[in-house]
Amino acid sequence: MDPIRIAIVGMGKIARDQHLPAIAGNRAFGLAATVSPHDPGVEGVPHFAGLDDLLASGPAVDAVALCTPPQVRHDLASSALARGIHVFLEKPPGATLGEVAALQAQADKVGASLFAAWHSRFAAGVAPARAWLAERTIERVTITWREDVRVWHPGQAWIWEPGGLGVFDPGINALSIVTHILPRPIFLRGAKLEIPANRVAPIAADMTFSDTGGAALHMDLDWRQTGPQSWDIVVETDAGTLKLSQGGAVLTLPTGTDHAEDHEYPALYARFATLIRTGRSDVDVAPLRLVADAFLRGTRVTTNPFVD
Ligand code: NAP
């Protein structure tokens, strides 16, 4: 079978750290081009400043991986889908729920695959956590996602702008795991968003949710954490406590702790290849809907200005 000719669009941190090696390590794909306004690209691979340039005069591509900030992703995805090109959307899948729904309808119409990728769902502990929780009664869930924005997002202006999500950019990873491992749907009860006086996006959020069985969830999300960082989800059940730590990489059950190798992006590309080969899409907006609900229903509190 011929490799799927793929272009990476948006050659920033995640494209270089994860997408390039994952594509190089998967024989189902061949890197056909890169697109980025300012990045020089990869030696030996055709490079274009914009997607329109690639589509007008570049090599043929079967798929694109959109690794840009979310605010520009809809138009890029729509241009690709209009030509029947399969689309991999980095998380979050868009800046609004409506634009993602429009892309899904477009993909269905043209028969192309659309993949809203949630990389944290492919962290090593997540699939076994989901399997273990399927048989349990959930009593309480505590999510602690505290990291230092200056370490993880230095100089990323887009993340503080409308549609950039602020602290929900990492927080949505926790929500992608929780919505995947819990046996019942969850919904927002309340949220307090702390927004720096000089920004429009939150730097911290305190949120409560319920599942449809009545279990209470609490989420503590903060970008001002210096020192040790926390990416932990604790689920108390009728059969003891489950803990996912290090963003889902480490799973602790009452029987012990398991730490497997990281394979998030190789697993995402394996999934994308399967979707393309079988003519399907995978677009779950549940994590983005919870974030949208926090903006709809949350209380806003102004906090100290944030300077990079
Ligand atoms: P980033 O380092 O700021 O990179 C984004 C890149 O997008 C920029 O380098 C920019 O390229 C390019 N770009 C902007 N507008 C474009 C356009 N119209 N056409 C083509 N390229 C365009 O951001 P990032 O950290 O990689 O994050 C990108 C996305 O991946 C975000 O949604 C983020 O949530 C997600 N993600 C990030 C991480 C992470 O650890 N950083 C992890 C998982 C997922 P130029 O520099 O050439 O202008």
Side-chain angles (χ1 to χ4, degrees):
M1 205 177 286
D2 288 339
I4 299 159
R5 297 164 297 183
I6 190 165
I8 298 181
V9 182
M11 291 293 290
K13 179 167 172 26
I14 199 62
R16 289 197 170 273
D17 288 357
Q18 296 288 350
H19 288 256
L20 284 176
I23 290 169
N26 187 330
R27 277 178 301 179
F29 292 95
L31 184 63
T34 56
V35 175
S36 219
H38 303 104
D39 189 274
V42 177
E43 199 173 330
V45 177
H47 180 75
F48 301 84
L51 180 60
D52 289 346
D53 304 324
L54 166 64
L55 297 176
S57 59
V61 295
D62 308 302
V64 290
L66 302 185
C67 306
T68 65
Q71 294 97 331
V72 297
R73 219 175 282 146
H74 169 271
D75 291 359
L76 297 167
S78 184
S79 294
L81 291 172
R83 289 163 178 78
I85 294 170
H86 310 293
V87 174
F88 176 127
L89 298 169
E90 251 300 352
K91 51 71 40 174
T96 69
L97 288 164
E99 68 185 40
V100 181
L103 291 178
Q104 185 162 17
Q106 190 182 359
D108 289 349
K109 194 166 172 194
V110 302
S113 294
L114 180 66
F115 181 30
W118 298 107
H119 65 88
S120 294
R121 287 184 175 175
F122 291 84
V126 171
R130 177 181 160 103
W132 193 81
L133 289 171
E135 306 299 324
R136 317 290 164 197
T137 300
I138 310 301
E139 292 170 353
R140 196 184 357 256
V141 181
T142 308
I143 306 160
T144 310
W145 229 249
R146 298 176 73 93
E147 63 177 49
D148 187 344
V149 64
R150 290 189 173 88
V151 171
W152 300 103
H153 301 280
Q156 287 187 337
W158 60 265
I159 217 161
W160 290 105
E161 289 163 6
L165 298 191
V167 75
F168 290 112
D169 177 82
I172 204 169
N173 296 333
L175 293 172
S176 76
I177 295 174
V178 167
T179 51
H180 190 61
I181 63 173
L182 294 183
R184 291 193 167 98
I186 66 170
F187 58 94
L188 185 93
R189 290 277 187 191
K192 185 178 92 173
L193 311 181
E194 290 188 57
I195 303 178
N198 59 341
R199 306 281 179 169
V200 298
I203 196 165
D206 188 274
M207 326 227 288
T208 52
F209 305 87
S210 290
D211 81 357
T212 54
L217 293 82
H218 178 246
M219 181 166 184
D220 168 17
L221 190 52
D222 205 315
W223 247 350
R224 299 165 297 196
Q225 177 83 10
T226 53
Q229 310 279 288
S230 305
W231 298 284
D232 299 328
I233 298 168
V234 175
V235 186
E236 294 166 55
T237 80
D238 58 336
T241 298
L242 172 150
K243 181 173 182 182
L244 274 171
S245 47
Q246 295 179 30
V250 180
L251 173 63
T252 303
L253 294 172
T255 47
T257 296
D258 200 14
H259 188 167
E261 283 290 296
D262 168 54
H263 62 287
E264 292 181 19
Y265 278 79
L268 284 177
Y269 273 93
R271 172 90 179 130
F272 190 36
T274 301
L275 290 172
I276 293 170
R277 300 289 191 216
T278 57
R280 288 177 297 140
S281 288
D282 177 354
V283 187
D284 179 12
V285 295
L288 184 61
R289 189 166 54 227
L290 292 169
V291 171
D293 285 352
F295 282 105
L296 268 177
R297 181 149 191 194
T299 305
R300 287 162 172 75
V301 178
T302 302
T303 187
N304 295 335
F306 175 82
V307 182
D308 246 328

